[in-house]
Amino acid sequence: MQVPHDAMVVVADGRKLLMLRNQGDAEFLNLQLVEKRLHPNPKTSDQKTDSSGRSSSTQSGPGAPAGAQGGAMHAQGGGAGFAPARGTMGETDFHQLEEDRFAAEVAGLLREEALHNSFESLIIVAPPKTLGELRKHYHASVTDRLAGELAKDLTDHPVPEIERALRDA
C-alpha cells in the first residue's frame, strides 16, 4: 500500500489508538507517533450488575394466541401443545458495546482532525470488526481523505512491523 509523505496512519482496535505520521516517503516509511490513547474496558462480567432477563410465554407458536391454529380455535386434544416456553433474554456484551463506543469516538476524533486540516491523506489499520464500526461513523471529510484501509489488528505491534505490514499490503 502506498503511504504518502505526511500521511496520517491510524492504528486502532476497540481499546487502543495509535496516531502515526509518515515522515518518510511512500517507498521508505518512517512512522512517528503523534498520539496514543488507551481506553479502559473491563470484561463484561466486571461491568454488569444483574443476570440476564427471563421470559415466559404460553403461546403455541411465534405470535399465535394460545389455542389458536389458523385463526380458529382448535377443538381437539388437551393442553400438551400449550406448555409455557421459558428462556433467557440475550446477554448484553458490555465489553463489545464499549469497544464499539470507542470506535465511534475515534471516528469523531478523525472528523475533528480532518475539519482542522490536520492531514491530507489517511490510512486506517484496524481489525475487521473495529473497521466496520469505524466505517459506520466516518464523516465525509474523513472519507474524502481516506487513502486506504488495512483489516488487521496491529495495535500491539512495534512500529517497524506496522510499516512492514503497510508496505506488504
Side-chain angles (χ1 to χ4, degrees):
M1 175 181 306
Q2 293 289 316
V3 182
H5 173 72
D6 209 34
M8 182 69 71
V9 177
V10 171
V11 182
D13 63 13
R15 63 175 189 81
K16 189 174 186 179
L17 165 70
L18 300 172
M19 291 180 77
L20 308 160
R21 191 168 299 275
N22 184 17
Q23 298 300 323
D25 57 28
E27 189 176 343
F28 299 104
L29 300 178
N30 180 13
L31 298 179
Q32 299 296 313
L33 183 65
V34 174
E35 184 175 346
K36 178 180 178 178
R37 291 187 186 188
L38 190 58
H39 185 73
N41 188 1
K43 39 185 199 183
T44 293
S45 61
D46 293 339
Q47 294 185 48
K48 67 181 184 175
T49 58
D50 294 333
S51 60
S52 60
R54 297 191 64 75
S55 68
S56 177
S57 171
T58 57
Q59 295 181 347
S60 61
Q69 187 175 44
M73 292 298 286
H74 190 53
Q76 298 177 357
F82 306 109
R86 291 193 177 98
T88 60
M89 304 266 188
E91 235 355 92
T92 300
D93 187 346
F94 291 101
H95 185 76
Q96 186 60 52
L97 285 174
E98 196 58 36
E99 286 190 359
D100 293 348
R101 187 176 299 126
F102 183 65
E105 195 177 295
V106 169
L109 174 66
L110 292 175
R111 175 187 174 271
E112 292 303 314
E113 293 292 323
L115 292 174
H116 287 101
N117 293 315
S118 298
F119 58 86
E120 290 182 29
S121 183
L122 175 66
I123 309 285
I124 304 282
V125 181
K129 196 170 209 168
T130 303
L131 197 54
E133 193 63 31
L134 283 166
R135 287 176 182 152
K136 289 181 191 177
H137 302 283
Y138 283 163
H139 185 266
S141 62
V142 173
T143 55
D144 290 347
R145 293 169 168 88
L146 192 60
E149 295 176 324
L150 180 59
K152 284 190 172 193
D153 187 357
L154 299 177
T155 54
D156 291 327
H157 290 71
V159 172
E161 286 185 29
I162 295 170
E163 291 172 347
R164 188 176 316 114
L166 287 168
R167 272 194 307 271
D168 295 346

